[in-house]
Amino acid sequence: MATAPPVISGRVQKSNQGTQVLRDVYANSKSGGFTISFFSAAGRGATDALLASPFYSDYSAVEALSQLGCRVKLLVRLCETTTPEALRKAFQDPNVTVRYYTDRRFHAKLYIVGDSALVGSANLTDAGLNANREVSVVLQRGRDAAFEELPGLYDLLWDSADTLTASVLERYEKAYKTERSGRSDEDFDRKLRDYIDPCEPPNIRVGSDEVSHRRSFLQTFRRKYDELLHPAFTEVRDAFLAAGEHRPEFDTDRIDVEISRFLGWLRVVHAPGESWNDTPLLSKSERAGKLESYRKDWLAAPEVSASDMIQVEGEVGNIRAIENAFGSEEALDALSYDELFDVLIGCHAFREMLRFTQGGLEGLRQDFKRRNSLDAIKKCLTHLALGTGDPIERAYDCIYDERFRLSRFGEACVMELLGWVEPSYPPINGRTIKALRFLGFDVAKMAASEG
């Protein structure tokens, strides 16, 4: 007769992959339990994990949760102990979203995995997970009243943090390589400000949670694209790359041309009107099945231009014209208004303006010229396509900043054009978002407008 596994100051959590013991206390010893084992024990059957660790240099806990299918939110401090290598592993994991602070007053070590939470002294470092004599206590939903307060505390920290983007990570890698001396954490913190804007946790001093209007809107904007839309588009792109098939009309080294067209085709042909928002939200595996079905339909369709303003044969040429026009400041500056307009009309979002303009294409040409001077147009587009710094910040400027903003060239136009001129970002417009929602992604709130 089989005997039950011993329960060491905790509960037994069973799964089809074996029996895991979730302790009440972890102290990094054989008798006290190693902190790293909390994540594999609590992660089985959990769907979400909320991790806050000022020091982060070991990906193993995050990896364990991701491999168990958890959606992971990881909150860290950019400091001398947090390594770019571990950050990049988390950043590249499709199940993980990373945000950060730069201020040392972010000191919370809090790990909420499903219905269990670990609170104590352990950071997500090799020493914190395996070697240091840490003490961390487990709280459980339904058993410990204090557990109920933890998700709200985490949300307060998460909502005030900045999003880790490819640009921020690159700057952090440079700072870490150049400025880290090992002499003092304070010295590195001070030098880091030359690379990355400071980000402080809330409630560390009176009024500190009242962030600037621009910063607040910028972070919301960044999260919309970097945490939701960009990963969703990438998931579709990865499916096409894995299949290794494409329509002959899109024989180009830029697969995003076909992906953009595929999503537009989905919106026009299979999700007309408001039907795109009627489909249920799907898990990643469910989305993969639906995507594969429509991908095969796409390949088999006799033509994919139905109800589309831009014919397929012109799509590749339009994108090539955009790449050429925005290849350098000299190339952009040499364009006349008509030449520049003819380039911009290759963006679906800008061409959508025809629906709201009398006189067809020539009517839109004259209306856009009347509203915006050639110098203003070039100033905006030069900043977007060829400016320095974070692409998302440049896009934000072109949408909201009076110095760069154009009339009748709103968010959908800017973000689609950014995708064609900035390799690290996909082209996103209103119909793209609605097609992604139709495929089961949770992006409905992002699809307020299609123009």
mmCIF file of all heavy atoms in Angstrom, residues 150-195:
data_model
loop_
_atom_site.group_PDB
_atom_site.id
_atom_site.type_symbol
_atom_site.label_atom_id
_atom_site.label_comp_id
_atom_site.label_asym_id
_atom_site.label_seq_id
_atom_site.Cartn_x
_atom_site.Cartn_y
_atom_site.Cartn_z
ATOM 1 N N LEU A 150 -2.500 41.458 -0.584
ATOM 2 C CA LEU A 150 -1.266 41.446 -1.371
ATOM 3 C C LEU A 150 -1.454 41.799 -2.845
ATOM 4 O O LEU A 150 -0.660 42.573 -3.388
ATOM 5 C CB LEU A 150 -0.569 40.096 -1.224
ATOM 6 C CG LEU A 150 -0.115 39.748 0.191
ATOM 7 C CD1 LEU A 150 0.537 38.371 0.217
ATOM 8 C CD2 LEU A 150 0.846 40.801 0.726
ATOM 9 N N PRO A 151 -2.471 41.250 -3.543
ATOM 10 C CA PRO A 151 -2.619 41.631 -4.962
ATOM 11 C C PRO A 151 -2.807 43.132 -5.168
ATOM 12 O O PRO A 151 -2.269 43.702 -6.123
ATOM 13 C CB PRO A 151 -3.857 40.836 -5.413
ATOM 14 C CG PRO A 151 -3.881 39.652 -4.510
ATOM 15 C CD PRO A 151 -3.415 40.167 -3.180
ATOM 16 N N GLY A 152 -3.533 43.783 -4.269
ATOM 17 C CA GLY A 152 -3.718 45.222 -4.387
ATOM 18 C C GLY A 152 -2.424 45.988 -4.181
ATOM 19 O O GLY A 152 -2.157 46.979 -4.875
ATOM 20 N N LEU A 153 -1.600 45.541 -3.222
ATOM 21 C CA LEU A 153 -0.303 46.172 -3.011
ATOM 22 C C LEU A 153 0.594 45.981 -4.227
ATOM 23 O O LEU A 153 1.315 46.894 -4.636
ATOM 24 C CB LEU A 153 0.358 45.579 -1.766
ATOM 25 C CG LEU A 153 -0.316 45.894 -0.425
ATOM 26 C CD1 LEU A 153 0.350 45.116 0.697
ATOM 27 C CD2 LEU A 153 -0.271 47.393 -0.141
ATOM 28 N N TYR A 154 0.533 44.790 -4.798
ATOM 29 C CA TYR A 154 1.342 44.549 -6.001
ATOM 30 C C TYR A 154 0.882 45.450 -7.142
ATOM 31 O O TYR A 154 1.709 46.036 -7.855
ATOM 32 C CB TYR A 154 1.256 43.078 -6.419
ATOM 33 C CG TYR A 154 2.190 42.748 -7.562
ATOM 34 C CD1 TYR A 154 3.464 42.270 -7.320
ATOM 35 C CD2 TYR A 154 1.804 42.946 -8.891
ATOM 36 C CE1 TYR A 154 4.348 41.993 -8.358
ATOM 37 C CE2 TYR A 154 2.668 42.686 -9.938
ATOM 38 C CZ TYR A 154 3.940 42.203 -9.660
ATOM 39 O OH TYR A 154 4.810 41.943 -10.696
ATOM 40 N N ASP A 155 -0.430 45.550 -7.325
ATOM 41 C CA ASP A 155 -0.954 46.382 -8.420
ATOM 42 C C ASP A 155 -0.510 47.832 -8.278
ATOM 43 O O ASP A 155 -0.225 48.511 -9.271
ATOM 44 C CB ASP A 155 -2.482 46.315 -8.450
ATOM 45 C CG ASP A 155 -2.992 44.988 -8.987
ATOM 46 O OD1 ASP A 155 -2.195 44.244 -9.594
ATOM 47 O OD2 ASP A 155 -4.189 44.696 -8.783
ATOM 48 N N LEU A 156 -0.449 48.340 -7.037
ATOM 49 C CA LEU A 156 0.002 49.709 -6.815
ATOM 50 C C LEU A 156 1.428 49.889 -7.303
ATOM 51 O O LEU A 156 1.750 50.869 -7.985
ATOM 52 C CB LEU A 156 -0.095 50.053 -5.327
ATOM 53 C CG LEU A 156 0.423 51.429 -4.917
ATOM 54 C CD1 LEU A 156 -0.421 52.530 -5.549
ATOM 55 C CD2 LEU A 156 0.427 51.568 -3.390
ATOM 56 N N LEU A 157 2.295 48.929 -6.994
ATOM 57 C CA LEU A 157 3.672 48.992 -7.455
ATOM 58 C C LEU A 157 3.759 48.824 -8.964
ATOM 59 O O LEU A 157 4.490 49.542 -9.650
ATOM 60 C CB LEU A 157 4.508 47.915 -6.755
ATOM 61 C CG LEU A 157 4.761 48.113 -5.262
ATOM 62 C CD1 LEU A 157 5.345 46.845 -4.652
ATOM 63 C CD2 LEU A 157 5.686 49.295 -5.023
ATOM 64 N N TRP A 158 3.019 47.876 -9.489
ATOM 65 C CA TRP A 158 3.065 47.568 -10.926
ATOM 66 C C TRP A 158 2.585 48.747 -11.764
ATOM 67 O O TRP A 158 3.203 49.119 -12.763
ATOM 68 C CB TRP A 158 2.217 46.337 -11.195
ATOM 69 C CG TRP A 158 2.176 45.889 -12.623
ATOM 70 C CD1 TRP A 158 1.169 46.092 -13.528
ATOM 71 C CD2 TRP A 158 3.182 45.144 -13.322
ATOM 72 N NE1 TRP A 158 1.477 45.531 -14.730
ATOM 73 C CE2 TRP A 158 2.708 44.934 -14.644
ATOM 74 C CE3 TRP A 158 4.426 44.638 -12.971
ATOM 75 C CZ2 TRP A 158 3.445 44.246 -15.598
ATOM 76 C CZ3 TRP A 158 5.162 43.942 -13.926
ATOM 77 C CH2 TRP A 158 4.679 43.760 -15.218
ATOM 78 N N ASP A 159 1.480 49.344 -11.353
ATOM 79 C CA ASP A 159 0.886 50.417 -12.156
ATOM 80 C C ASP A 159 1.768 51.665 -12.212
ATOM 81 O O ASP A 159 1.668 52.450 -13.155
ATOM 82 C CB ASP A 159 -0.489 50.800 -11.594
ATOM 83 C CG ASP A 159 -1.531 49.720 -11.806
ATOM 84 O OD1 ASP A 159 -1.290 48.838 -12.649
ATOM 85 O OD2 ASP A 159 -2.572 49.756 -11.122
ATOM 86 N N SER A 160 2.623 51.853 -11.232
ATOM 87 C CA SER A 160 3.470 53.042 -11.199
ATOM 88 C C SER A 160 4.835 52.826 -11.830
ATOM 89 O O SER A 160 5.610 53.770 -11.987
ATOM 90 C CB SER A 160 3.666 53.496 -9.741
ATOM 91 O OG SER A 160 2.428 53.821 -9.152
ATOM 92 N N ALA A 161 5.148 51.579 -12.194
ATOM 93 C CA ALA A 161 6.466 51.262 -12.743
ATOM 94 C C ALA A 161 6.515 51.542 -14.238
ATOM 95 O O ALA A 161 5.483 51.676 -14.901
ATOM 96 C CB ALA A 161 6.798 49.799 -12.474
ATOM 97 N N ASP A 162 7.724 51.626 -14.772
ATOM 98 C CA ASP A 162 7.934 51.829 -16.204
ATOM 99 C C ASP A 162 8.091 50.492 -16.915
ATOM 100 O O ASP A 162 8.594 49.510 -16.339
ATOM 101 C CB ASP A 162 9.183 52.683 -16.449
ATOM 102 C CG ASP A 162 8.933 54.159 -16.206
ATOM 103 O OD1 ASP A 162 7.760 54.535 -16.006
ATOM 104 O OD2 ASP A 162 9.901 54.939 -16.211
ATOM 105 N N THR A 163 7.712 50.458 -18.171
ATOM 106 C CA THR A 163 7.781 49.241 -18.970
ATOM 107 C C THR A 163 9.179 49.039 -19.537
ATOM 108 O O THR A 163 9.770 49.965 -20.100
ATOM 109 C CB THR A 163 6.770 49.312 -20.130
ATOM 110 O OG1 THR A 163 5.453 49.439 -19.590
ATOM 111 C CG2 THR A 163 6.839 48.069 -20.994
ATOM 112 N N LEU A 164 9.689 47.830 -19.404
ATOM 113 C CA LEU A 164 10.967 47.501 -20.028
ATOM 114 C C LEU A 164 10.742 47.270 -21.518
ATOM 115 O O LEU A 164 9.992 46.386 -21.914
ATOM 116 C CB LEU A 164 11.572 46.245 -19.395
ATOM 117 C CG LEU A 164 12.975 45.882 -19.894
ATOM 118 C CD1 LEU A 164 14.004 46.861 -19.349
ATOM 119 C CD2 LEU A 164 13.342 44.456 -19.523
ATOM 120 N N THR A 165 11.376 48.066 -22.347
ATOM 121 C CA THR A 165 11.287 47.942 -23.793
ATOM 122 C C THR A 165 12.650 47.543 -24.343
ATOM 123 O O THR A 165 13.654 47.544 -23.630
ATOM 124 C CB THR A 165 10.854 49.264 -24.432
ATOM 125 O OG1 THR A 165 11.889 50.236 -24.216
ATOM 126 C CG2 THR A 165 9.552 49.774 -23.834
ATOM 127 N N ALA A 166 12.687 47.227 -25.627
ATOM 128 C CA ALA A 166 13.961 46.880 -26.262
ATOM 129 C C ALA A 166 14.942 48.039 -26.151
ATOM 130 O O ALA A 166 16.137 47.839 -25.891
ATOM 131 C CB ALA A 166 13.730 46.505 -27.719
ATOM 132 N N SER A 167 14.449 49.257 -26.321
ATOM 133 C CA SER A 167 15.312 50.431 -26.235
ATOM 134 C C SER A 167 15.860 50.621 -24.830
ATOM 135 O O SER A 167 17.056 50.887 -24.638
ATOM 136 C CB SER A 167 14.539 51.683 -26.669
ATOM 137 O OG SER A 167 15.306 52.849 -26.488
ATOM 138 N N VAL A 168 15.004 50.493 -23.816
ATOM 139 C CA VAL A 168 15.458 50.640 -22.433
ATOM 140 C C VAL A 168 16.472 49.553 -22.098
ATOM 141 O O VAL A 168 17.504 49.821 -21.459
ATOM 142 C CB VAL A 168 14.262 50.584 -21.467
ATOM 143 C CG1 VAL A 168 14.744 50.505 -20.012
ATOM 144 C CG2 VAL A 168 13.363 51.799 -21.643
ATOM 145 N N LEU A 169 16.192 48.327 -22.526
ATOM 146 C CA LEU A 169 17.111 47.226 -22.238
ATOM 147 C C LEU A 169 18.468 47.450 -22.887
ATOM 148 O O LEU A 169 19.515 47.191 -22.268
ATOM 149 C CB LEU A 169 16.503 45.908 -22.715
ATOM 150 C CG LEU A 169 17.315 44.637 -22.439
ATOM 151 C CD1 LEU A 169 17.701 44.526 -20.971
ATOM 152 C CD2 LEU A 169 16.544 43.405 -22.888
ATOM 153 N N GLU A 170 18.485 47.948 -24.105
ATOM 154 C CA GLU A 170 19.758 48.235 -24.776
ATOM 155 C C GLU A 170 20.540 49.310 -24.025
ATOM 156 O O GLU A 170 21.766 49.202 -23.857
ATOM 157 C CB GLU A 170 19.494 48.673 -26.223
ATOM 158 C CG GLU A 170 19.043 47.539 -27.123
ATOM 159 C CD GLU A 170 18.641 48.033 -28.496
ATOM 160 O OE1 GLU A 170 18.793 49.243 -28.751
ATOM 161 O OE2 GLU A 170 18.172 47.209 -29.307
ATOM 162 N N ARG A 171 19.841 50.335 -23.563
ATOM 163 C CA ARG A 171 20.526 51.392 -22.811
ATOM 164 C C ARG A 171 21.026 50.880 -21.462
ATOM 165 O O ARG A 171 22.099 51.277 -20.992
ATOM 166 C CB ARG A 171 19.585 52.584 -22.626
ATOM 167 C CG ARG A 171 19.466 53.456 -23.883
ATOM 168 C CD ARG A 171 18.527 54.620 -23.653
ATOM 169 N NE ARG A 171 17.152 54.265 -23.967
ATOM 170 C CZ ARG A 171 16.097 54.697 -23.306
ATOM 171 N NH1 ARG A 171 16.246 55.501 -22.274
ATOM 172 N NH2 ARG A 171 14.877 54.341 -23.658
ATOM 173 N N TYR A 172 20.253 50.006 -20.848
ATOM 174 C CA TYR A 172 20.685 49.440 -19.580
ATOM 175 C C TYR A 172 21.916 48.548 -19.771
ATOM 176 O O TYR A 172 22.851 48.584 -18.966
ATOM 177 C CB TYR A 172 19.550 48.637 -18.950
ATOM 178 C CG TYR A 172 19.905 48.090 -17.587
ATOM 179 C CD1 TYR A 172 20.164 48.954 -16.527
ATOM 180 C CD2 TYR A 172 19.998 46.725 -17.364
ATOM 181 C CE1 TYR A 172 20.506 48.463 -15.271
ATOM 182 C CE2 TYR A 172 20.337 46.219 -16.116
ATOM 183 C CZ TYR A 172 20.589 47.098 -15.072
ATOM 184 O OH TYR A 172 20.940 46.612 -13.843
ATOM 185 N N GLU A 173 21.923 47.766 -20.834
ATOM 186 C CA GLU A 173 23.088 46.935 -21.126
ATOM 187 C C GLU A 173 24.340 47.794 -21.307
ATOM 188 O O GLU A 173 25.428 47.449 -20.820
ATOM 189 C CB GLU A 173 22.828 46.087 -22.372
ATOM 190 C CG GLU A 173 21.833 44.962 -22.138
ATOM 191 C CD GLU A 173 21.414 44.254 -23.420
ATOM 192 O OE1 GLU A 173 21.445 44.912 -24.484
ATOM 193 O OE2 GLU A 173 21.039 43.074 -23.357
ATOM 194 N N LYS A 174 24.184 48.909 -21.984
ATOM 195 C CA LYS A 174 25.318 49.805 -22.196
ATOM 196 C C LYS A 174 25.785 50.408 -20.872
ATOM 197 O O LYS A 174 26.998 50.470 -20.585
ATOM 198 C CB LYS A 174 24.935 50.915 -23.172
ATOM 199 C CG LYS A 174 26.085 51.853 -23.506
ATOM 200 C CD LYS A 174 25.660 52.885 -24.546
ATOM 201 C CE LYS A 174 26.821 53.823 -24.888
ATOM 202 N NZ LYS A 174 26.401 54.849 -25.890
ATOM 203 N N ALA A 175 24.838 50.857 -20.056
ATOM 204 C CA ALA A 175 25.190 51.430 -18.756
ATOM 205 C C ALA A 175 25.864 50.392 -17.865
ATOM 206 O O ALA A 175 26.852 50.682 -17.184
ATOM 207 C CB ALA A 175 23.940 51.979 -18.069
ATOM 208 N N TYR A 176 25.332 49.190 -17.872
ATOM 209 C CA TYR A 176 25.864 48.119 -17.026
ATOM 210 C C TYR A 176 27.296 47.776 -17.428
ATOM 211 O O TYR A 176 28.169 47.556 -16.578
ATOM 212 C CB TYR A 176 24.972 46.889 -17.160
ATOM 213 C CG TYR A 176 25.158 45.850 -16.079
ATOM 214 C CD1 TYR A 176 24.490 45.966 -14.862
ATOM 215 C CD2 TYR A 176 25.977 44.748 -16.282
ATOM 216 C CE1 TYR A 176 24.639 45.007 -13.871
ATOM 217 C CE2 TYR A 176 26.139 43.783 -15.299
ATOM 218 C CZ TYR A 176 25.459 43.921 -14.102
ATOM 219 O OH TYR A 176 25.619 42.965 -13.121
ATOM 220 N N LYS A 177 27.541 47.763 -18.723
ATOM 221 C CA LYS A 177 28.874 47.437 -19.218
ATOM 222 C C LYS A 177 29.858 48.577 -18.977
ATOM 223 O O LYS A 177 31.031 48.347 -18.647
ATOM 224 C CB LYS A 177 28.809 47.120 -20.717
ATOM 225 C CG LYS A 177 30.144 46.766 -21.342
ATOM 226 C CD LYS A 177 29.975 46.440 -22.821
ATOM 227 C CE LYS A 177 31.317 46.102 -23.458
ATOM 228 N NZ LYS A 177 31.160 45.780 -24.917
ATOM 229 N N THR A 178 29.376 49.803 -19.099
ATOM 230 C CA THR A 178 30.270 50.969 -19.056
ATOM 231 C C THR A 178 30.476 51.517 -17.655
ATOM 232 O O THR A 178 31.596 51.914 -17.291
ATOM 233 C CB THR A 178 29.702 52.081 -19.959
ATOM 234 O OG1 THR A 178 29.498 51.565 -21.277
ATOM 235 C CG2 THR A 178 30.650 53.269 -20.014
ATOM 236 N N GLU A 179 29.402 51.538 -16.864
ATOM 237 C CA GLU A 179 29.437 52.293 -15.609
ATOM 238 C C GLU A 179 29.564 51.438 -14.355
ATOM 239 O O GLU A 179 29.833 51.965 -13.275
ATOM 240 C CB GLU A 179 28.159 53.147 -15.475
ATOM 241 C CG GLU A 179 27.876 54.039 -16.664
ATOM 242 C CD GLU A 179 28.934 55.120 -16.855
ATOM 243 O OE1 GLU A 179 29.787 55.300 -15.962
ATOM 244 O OE2 GLU A 179 28.915 55.787 -17.911
ATOM 245 N N ARG A 180 29.364 50.142 -14.457
ATOM 246 C CA ARG A 180 29.404 49.314 -13.255
ATOM 247 C C ARG A 180 30.842 49.160 -12.775
ATOM 248 O O ARG A 180 31.689 48.622 -13.480
ATOM 249 C CB ARG A 180 28.785 47.945 -13.531
ATOM 250 C CG ARG A 180 28.517 47.135 -12.274
ATOM 251 C CD ARG A 180 27.675 45.936 -12.617
ATOM 252 N NE ARG A 180 28.456 44.972 -13.367
ATOM 253 C CZ ARG A 180 29.015 43.883 -12.847
ATOM 254 N NH1 ARG A 180 28.868 43.636 -11.560
ATOM 255 N NH2 ARG A 180 29.690 43.045 -13.593
ATOM 256 N N SER A 181 31.098 49.624 -11.562
ATOM 257 C CA SER A 181 32.461 49.593 -11.033
ATOM 258 C C SER A 181 32.627 48.600 -9.900
ATOM 259 O O SER A 181 33.739 48.180 -9.595
ATOM 260 C CB SER A 181 32.842 50.988 -10.515
ATOM 261 O OG SER A 181 32.007 51.350 -9.425
ATOM 262 N N GLY A 182 31.513 48.230 -9.281
ATOM 263 C CA GLY A 182 31.595 47.331 -8.140
ATOM 264 C C GLY A 182 31.928 48.030 -6.847
ATOM 265 O O GLY A 182 32.000 47.406 -5.783
ATOM 266 N N ARG A 183 32.145 49.346 -6.904
ATOM 267 C CA ARG A 183 32.525 50.074 -5.704
ATOM 268 C C ARG A 183 31.305 50.383 -4.835
ATOM 269 O O ARG A 183 31.331 50.192 -3.634
ATOM 270 C CB ARG A 183 33.259 51.365 -6.071
ATOM 271 C CG ARG A 183 34.643 51.143 -6.670
ATOM 272 C CD ARG A 183 35.411 52.456 -6.758
ATOM 273 N NE ARG A 183 34.757 53.409 -7.631
ATOM 274 C CZ ARG A 183 34.980 53.480 -8.942
ATOM 275 N NH1 ARG A 183 35.822 52.643 -9.521
ATOM 276 N NH2 ARG A 183 34.361 54.378 -9.680
ATOM 277 N N SER A 184 30.245 50.887 -5.447
ATOM 278 C CA SER A 184 29.052 51.205 -4.668
ATOM 279 C C SER A 184 27.826 51.199 -5.560
ATOM 280 O O SER A 184 27.882 51.623 -6.716
ATOM 281 C CB SER A 184 29.191 52.569 -3.985
ATOM 282 O OG SER A 184 29.045 53.623 -4.914
ATOM 283 N N ASP A 185 26.729 50.707 -4.996
ATOM 284 C CA ASP A 185 25.459 50.694 -5.707
ATOM 285 C C ASP A 185 24.984 52.112 -5.970
ATOM 286 O O ASP A 185 24.415 52.420 -7.028
ATOM 287 C CB ASP A 185 24.427 49.927 -4.872
ATOM 288 C CG ASP A 185 23.251 49.449 -5.715
ATOM 289 O OD1 ASP A 185 23.435 49.262 -6.930
ATOM 290 O OD2 ASP A 185 22.169 49.266 -5.152
ATOM 291 N N GLU A 186 25.235 53.016 -5.026
ATOM 292 C CA GLU A 186 24.811 54.413 -5.180
ATOM 293 C C GLU A 186 25.490 55.070 -6.377
ATOM 294 O O GLU A 186 24.862 55.849 -7.110
ATOM 295 C CB GLU A 186 25.116 55.212 -3.907
ATOM 296 C CG GLU A 186 24.306 54.790 -2.701
ATOM 297 C CD GLU A 186 25.011 53.721 -1.874
ATOM 298 O OE1 GLU A 186 25.887 53.019 -2.448
ATOM 299 O OE2 GLU A 186 24.688 53.591 -0.693
ATOM 300 N N ASP A 187 26.749 54.742 -6.587
ATOM 301 C CA ASP A 187 27.487 55.321 -7.706
ATOM 302 C C ASP A 187 26.880 54.887 -9.034
ATOM 303 O O ASP A 187 26.695 55.695 -9.951
ATOM 304 C CB ASP A 187 28.953 54.905 -7.624
ATOM 305 C CG ASP A 187 29.806 55.606 -8.683
ATOM 306 O OD1 ASP A 187 29.722 56.840 -8.785
ATOM 307 O OD2 ASP A 187 30.545 54.913 -9.405
ATOM 308 N N PHE A 188 26.528 53.618 -9.146
ATOM 309 C CA PHE A 188 25.903 53.127 -10.379
ATOM 310 C C PHE A 188 24.524 53.755 -10.567
ATOM 311 O O PHE A 188 24.152 54.135 -11.687
ATOM 312 C CB PHE A 188 25.789 51.605 -10.343
ATOM 313 C CG PHE A 188 25.156 51.020 -11.578
ATOM 314 C CD1 PHE A 188 25.864 50.930 -12.767
ATOM 315 C CD2 PHE A 188 23.843 50.573 -11.558
ATOM 316 C CE1 PHE A 188 25.276 50.404 -13.903
ATOM 317 C CE2 PHE A 188 23.252 50.045 -12.687
ATOM 318 C CZ PHE A 188 23.973 49.955 -13.864
ATOM 319 N N ASP A 189 23.752 53.863 -9.481
ATOM 320 C CA ASP A 189 22.428 54.483 -9.577
ATOM 321 C C ASP A 189 22.529 55.893 -10.132
ATOM 322 O O ASP A 189 21.715 56.312 -10.975
ATOM 323 C CB ASP A 189 21.764 54.536 -8.197
ATOM 324 C CG ASP A 189 21.336 53.167 -7.704
ATOM 325 O OD1 ASP A 189 21.339 52.222 -8.507
ATOM 326 O OD2 ASP A 189 21.006 53.056 -6.507
ATOM 327 N N ARG A 190 23.506 56.627 -9.688
ATOM 328 C CA ARG A 190 23.679 58.018 -10.119
ATOM 329 C C ARG A 190 24.043 58.074 -11.606
ATOM 330 O O ARG A 190 23.507 58.884 -12.371
ATOM 331 C CB ARG A 190 24.760 58.690 -9.274
ATOM 332 C CG ARG A 190 24.947 60.169 -9.556
ATOM 333 C CD ARG A 190 25.842 60.833 -8.525
ATOM 334 N NE ARG A 190 27.151 60.183 -8.435
ATOM 335 C CZ ARG A 190 27.518 59.381 -7.439
ATOM 336 N NH1 ARG A 190 26.670 59.105 -6.456
ATOM 337 N NH2 ARG A 190 28.720 58.838 -7.424
ATOM 338 N N LYS A 191 24.942 57.207 -12.036
ATOM 339 C CA LYS A 191 25.361 57.205 -13.437
ATOM 340 C C LYS A 191 24.270 56.667 -14.362
ATOM 341 O O LYS A 191 24.197 57.045 -15.531
ATOM 342 C CB LYS A 191 26.634 56.377 -13.586
ATOM 343 C CG LYS A 191 27.845 57.009 -12.908
ATOM 344 C CD LYS A 191 29.079 56.134 -13.025
ATOM 345 C CE LYS A 191 30.282 56.802 -12.367
ATOM 346 N NZ LYS A 191 31.489 55.920 -12.433
ATOM 347 N N LEU A 192 23.407 55.794 -13.832
ATOM 348 C CA LEU A 192 22.338 55.221 -14.648
ATOM 349 C C LEU A 192 21.380 56.293 -15.156
ATOM 350 O O LEU A 192 20.767 56.144 -16.212
ATOM 351 C CB LEU A 192 21.581 54.174 -13.828
ATOM 352 C CG LEU A 192 20.461 53.398 -14.536
ATOM 353 C CD1 LEU A 192 21.021 52.596 -15.726
ATOM 354 C CD2 LEU A 192 19.751 52.460 -13.560
ATOM 355 N N ARG A 193 21.270 57.397 -14.429
ATOM 356 C CA ARG A 193 20.354 58.469 -14.836
ATOM 357 C C ARG A 193 20.751 59.095 -16.169
ATOM 358 O O ARG A 193 19.926 59.733 -16.823
ATOM 359 C CB ARG A 193 20.312 59.555 -13.754
ATOM 360 C CG ARG A 193 19.720 59.078 -12.436
ATOM 361 C CD ARG A 193 19.902 60.095 -11.354
ATOM 362 N NE ARG A 193 19.525 59.551 -10.049
ATOM 363 C CZ ARG A 193 19.909 60.060 -8.888
ATOM 364 N NH1 ARG A 193 20.669 61.146 -8.872
ATOM 365 N NH2 ARG A 193 19.529 59.509 -7.763
ATOM 366 N N ASP A 194 22.009 58.932 -16.562
ATOM 367 C CA ASP A 194 22.448 59.449 -17.857
ATOM 368 C C ASP A 194 21.947 58.587 -19.007
ATOM 369 O O ASP A 194 22.009 58.996 -20.166
ATOM 370 C CB ASP A 194 23.978 59.510 -17.913
ATOM 371 C CG ASP A 194 24.567 60.514 -16.940
ATOM 372 O OD1 ASP A 194 23.860 61.500 -16.610
ATOM 373 O OD2 ASP A 194 25.717 60.316 -16.502
ATOM 374 N N TYR A 195 21.441 57.396 -18.688
ATOM 375 C CA TYR A 195 20.999 56.455 -19.713
ATOM 376 C C TYR A 195 19.482 56.236 -19.697
ATOM 377 O O TYR A 195 18.861 56.061 -20.753
ATOM 378 C CB TYR A 195 21.677 55.094 -19.509
ATOM 379 C CG TYR A 195 23.181 55.110 -19.639
ATOM 380 C CD1 TYR A 195 23.995 55.514 -18.577
ATOM 381 C CD2 TYR A 195 23.800 54.714 -20.819
ATOM 382 C CE1 TYR A 195 25.377 55.525 -18.692
ATOM 383 C CE2 TYR A 195 25.188 54.717 -20.943
ATOM 384 C CZ TYR A 195 25.967 55.131 -19.872
ATOM 385 O OH TYR A 195 27.338 55.135 -19.990
#
